[in-house]
Amino acid sequence: MSRLVLGLALSALTGGCIALSCQEVGCNGTYALSFEADEWEEGAYALTVFLDGMESVDCVITLPLESASSCDGVSAVELADGILSVMVYTPMNEDLVEADIALSMDGTVLLEEVVEPAWGEPYWPNGQACDRGYGCLSASDAFSL
């Protein structure tokens, strides 16, 4: 009798249950940064953003901006009404806590801060079970120079 019960249990596990089918959709989380200044000089600005658990994003932003400006690890760069807006991609992660942000121009540090972004609820592009607890996180922060 116990062999019959064991056989039925194994049968249910292997053939009777539907296997979890996962897609491989990538993360679309972002960290939106905005830097407000009374005036932006023309020239090259160096931006470094380091988030827990990922390589830093190092970006050189040259003003005036050309249309559709972007740089490695950054999805968009815009300058409007004295606000420089930068969107940084975020990886699938469950432990993003701090962000180290540095902005400089010609060797002069304009901003150097460590902040704790208010990360929103995770987005599960493949479903929470498929992403194994690593959702896409997004947040935004604004800085005055």
Side-chain angles (χ1 to χ4, degrees), residues 3 8 31 47 66 81 124 143:
R3 286 185 185 184
L8 289 173
Y31 184 34
L47 173 65
E66 306 226 352
D81 300 321
W124 313 98
F143 304 93

Side-chain angles (χ1 to χ4, degrees), residues 54-86:
M54 69 178 271
E55 292 183 25
S56 67
V57 171
D58 296 307
C59 182
V60 175
I61 302 165
T62 303
L63 297 182
L65 288 175
E66 306 226 352
S67 62
S69 291
S70 66
C71 52
D72 197 28
V74 173
S75 62
V77 178
E78 296 177 351
L79 179 61
D81 300 321
I83 298 174
L84 180 66
S85 301
V86 180

Side-chain angles (χ1 to χ4, degrees), residues 26-121:
C27 194
N28 63 350
T30 56
Y31 184 34
L33 300 170
S34 58
F35 304 94
E36 184 175 7
D38 292 332
E39 184 178 335
W40 289 95
E41 293 180 37
E42 290 186 5
Y45 291 80
L47 173 65
T48 299
V49 179
F50 177 76
L51 299 171
D52 300 318
M54 69 178 271
E55 292 183 25
S56 67
V57 171
D58 296 307
C59 182
V60 175
I61 302 165
T62 303
L63 297 182
L65 288 175
E66 306 226 352
S67 62
S69 291
S70 66
C71 52
D72 197 28
V74 173
S75 62
V77 178
E78 296 177 351
L79 179 61
D81 300 321
I83 298 174
L84 180 66
S85 301
V86 180
M87 283 282 219
V88 177
Y89 295 119
T90 58
M92 290 183 108
N93 198 311
E94 64 182 6
D95 296 322
L96 292 179
V97 176
E98 289 185 343
D100 296 321
I101 301 162
L103 180 67
S104 62
M105 181 189 186
D106 295 330
T108 302
V109 175
L110 304 174
L111 175 89
E112 194 169 39
E113 286 196 36
V114 177
V115 296
E116 291 186 11
W119 299 105
E121 290 297 314

